[in-house]
Amino acid sequence: MGLLGGALKMALVLVALWWFSRVVRRVDWPAVWDAVTQLGVLEVVCLLAVVAVRQCLNAGPLAVFVPSLGLRRAVSNDLSANLVATVAPPPGDVVLRIAMLRSWGTPPTEGIAGISLNTVTYYVARFGAPVLGLGLAVVAGQVEPAYAWTALTSGAVSLVVVAALVIASRGERPAARATEWTAVRLRRFSARVDPVEWASRAARFVRQAGHVLRRGWASAMACQFALVLSEALLLLLSLRLAGVPASAAPAVTIVIALLVSYPLTALPFGGVGVLDAAVIAILGLEQGPYEATAVAGLVVFRVCWMLVPLVLGAGTVTWWRRQHAAEAAEVRSATRAG
């Protein structure tokens, strides 16, 4: 099933990139470059301010699920993990996250629970975004059949994740039994495996994760959906500053386009090329006088959405390595071994 899913994902990426390449070939790239380079200092500051808000919202759930961490360290942890996830194979980002949390005095169980819940709640928002987009389209009178189908299928995925979270938060006994069953079989290969201890740890982890989830669920989900809306604002600003007027792409339509297309961010590199193609198609800007400016706006959006956080992540990783040299050495060793 995993192989089939990977093949379908790759096929979708290739088809979308092929379509996007047709758009790219028609684009007046000198005009795109002019639109990007004409951004003023104040405009760049506005974009960076939205990026800063986005990063705080992105790290907000981690700060909620790990209260001892605080928002500043949560942002540093998130930026650093994003950088490692981009340039190194998994689970390098998770290893770095845990090492950073441990260096700040966060108990490993609490840290792992927070990281896990942060990731899962983001998936709820990622696949729930088209439902929000459909609701906005209904209010704005811009409903399309494709929006409804996307919201239905993607919303179903989001509901499944929510149901799994609810079950997992109250499933200490099933988790303990499943872990013990696994440990009994692993014991055949290693005498150091203790099924009883493994079951006890699994029960404690689910108990703690469930407590944290019930306590911070509302705040975390508010951060996750606010994150999606901040990215819609970033896209809106990028297109406007690049020269796409409201007459060609109304603000509400731009927001709907991103929300409906948002599950495509699950593809490699945030769905670069694929998400962009979907947004351009929904806005109807793949041909006409604003094609080049729309592409320029998406270039600005991608720089703010991907490259700026990578630069910030490089800074946070460098700072943390200087402050915690021993833990950084362990991360490098574990990453190379993986």
Side-chain angles (χ1 to χ4, degrees), residues 59-143:
L62 184 59
V64 169
F65 292 135
V66 188
S68 62
L69 194 59
L71 182 60
R72 181 178 63 83
R73 285 179 169 174
V75 171
S76 297
N77 188 268
D78 190 75
L79 287 170
S80 302
N82 176 61
L83 173 69
V84 173
T86 303
V87 302
D93 57 326
V94 177
V95 172
L96 176 63
R97 276 188 181 275
I98 295 172
M100 293 180 77
L101 295 178
R102 189 172 64 245
S103 72
W104 294 328
T106 301
T109 304
E110 181 183 354
I112 294 172
I115 292 169
S116 303
L117 293 174
N118 180 40
T119 301
V120 175
T121 53
Y122 175 61
Y123 272 85
V124 175
R126 168 180 276 167
F127 290 101
V131 179
L132 188 61
L134 177 63
L136 184 59
V138 170
V139 173
Q142 299 184 17
V143 179

Side-chain angles (χ1 to χ4, degrees), residues 13-246:
V13 170
L14 291 175
V15 170
L17 287 177
W18 168 79
W19 185 89
F20 190 61
S21 68
R22 296 180 62 191
V23 175
V24 167
R25 284 197 296 268
R26 295 196 308 266
V27 171
D28 182 359
W29 284 104
V32 172
W33 178 249
D34 289 342
V36 172
T37 55
Q38 286 177 6
L39 291 177
V41 174
L42 183 60
E43 294 170 331
V44 172
V45 169
C46 289
L47 289 169
L48 292 178
V50 177
V51 171
V53 172
R54 173 188 180 263
Q55 294 309 133
C56 289
L57 291 170
N58 201 31
L62 184 59
V64 169
F65 292 135
V66 188
S68 62
L69 194 59
L71 182 60
R72 181 178 63 83
R73 285 179 169 174
V75 171
S76 297
N77 188 268
D78 190 75
L79 287 170
S80 302
N82 176 61
L83 173 69
V84 173
T86 303
V87 302
D93 57 326
V94 177
V95 172
L96 176 63
R97 276 188 181 275
I98 295 172
M100 293 180 77
L101 295 178
R102 189 172 64 245
S103 72
W104 294 328
T106 301
T109 304
E110 181 183 354
I112 294 172
I115 292 169
S116 303
L117 293 174
N118 180 40
T119 301
V120 175
T121 53
Y122 175 61
Y123 272 85
V124 175
R126 168 180 276 167
F127 290 101
V131 179
L132 188 61
L134 177 63
L136 184 59
V138 170
V139 173
Q142 299 184 17
V143 179
E144 298 287 343
Y147 299 171
W149 281 110
T150 302
L152 179 65
T153 55
S154 186
V157 174
S158 185
L159 282 176
V160 168
V161 177
V162 170
L165 275 172
V166 173
I167 294 171
S169 68
R170 302 178 182 276
E172 296 176 32
R173 187 172 299 175
R177 287 178 177 174
T179 304
E180 184 175 12
W181 182 88
T182 303
V184 167
R185 280 143 187 83
L186 290 175
R187 190 176 176 83
R188 299 173 185 173
F189 305 96
S190 175
R192 291 180 297 177
V193 176
D194 184 349
V196 176
E197 177 63 20
W198 278 38
S200 176
R201 288 183 180 181
R204 285 199 303 270
F205 176 80
V206 172
R207 188 185 309 119
Q208 179 169 0
H211 173 71
V212 171
L213 179 63
R214 290 189 292 272
R215 182 191 64 206
W217 165 260
S219 298
M221 290 312 307
C223 285
Q224 298 289 20
F225 279 102
L227 165 67
V228 175
L229 293 176
S230 73
E231 292 173 348
L233 174 60
L234 183 61
L235 175 63
L236 173 61
L237 278 176
S238 299
L239 290 173
R240 288 287 184 267
L241 295 178
V244 178

Side-chain angles (χ1 to χ4, degrees), residues 308-329:
V308 172
L310 289 178
V311 172
L312 295 174
T316 57
V317 168
T318 301
W319 169 81
W320 178 77
R321 282 178 173 173
R322 289 178 178 175
Q323 297 292 319
H324 305 277
E327 290 87 349

